[in-house]
Amino acid sequence: MSVASVPTAAASVHVLAHQAATSTYTLAHQAATSTYTLTPERIWASAAALLALAGVLLGALALTPFAGRIGAGNGRTPAITAMAAGLLAVVNGGLVVVTADGGPGTGNGIVGGFVALVVGLITVVLGRLALRRSRRASAT
């Protein structure tokens, strides 16, 4: 072993030791997260799921004939708002799922991310149906 390769070998050992310590810390952090702890990822996923749920309510409201009587116009405004809320929920839920490091119970909000994805897609479909119905009603 030459003298020139000694710093390289020392740097390699340092990098490997740092990676081992970091992975040990990550595993300990994930194991220390309890089921009821609110982590930032869980809050983010829950907010996306609640946004999707609000969009479902707006989409359902836009689909009913009652929407015109409560000041929601012909149902176009709640339909567009529902579609926008659903799209935001899908994007945020997808980001939560993509950035999650572990599975359910690790504090990464992956369950809430999947809920936001599914309910957000339902919201977009409801909003699209309501928008189509409002266009058909305004054309006649």
Side-chain angles (χ1 to χ4, degrees):
M1 187 155 143
S2 70
V3 177
S5 65
V6 171
T8 308
S12 299
V13 169
H14 175 69
V15 168
L16 289 175
H18 177 68
Q19 287 177 346
T22 305
S23 64
T24 304
Y25 171 75
T26 304
L27 290 175
H29 175 68
Q30 288 179 352
T33 305
S34 75
T35 307
Y36 302 108
T37 303
L38 281 179
T39 61
E41 293 87 1
R42 285 182 177 168
I43 292 171
W44 181 19
S46 298
L50 287 174
L51 179 66
L53 185 62
V56 166
L57 294 175
L58 279 170
L61 174 71
L63 279 173
T64 62
F66 189 68
R69 289 185 236 149
I70 60 170
N74 57 3
R76 228 175 121 83
T77 304
I80 293 172
T81 307
M83 286 179 60
L87 183 63
L88 281 172
V90 166
V91 167
N92 280 305
L95 285 174
V96 168
V97 170
V98 167
T99 59
D101 294 332
T106 58
N108 292 310
I110 196 159
V111 175
F114 279 123
V115 168
L117 274 171
V118 172
V119 179
L121 287 174
I122 292 169
T123 301
V124 170
V125 169
L126 278 175
R128 181 68 184 143
L129 287 173
L131 191 61
R132 193 177 290 168
R133 182 180 285 180
S134 71
R135 285 184 181 164
R136 197 174 342 138
S138 66
T140 58

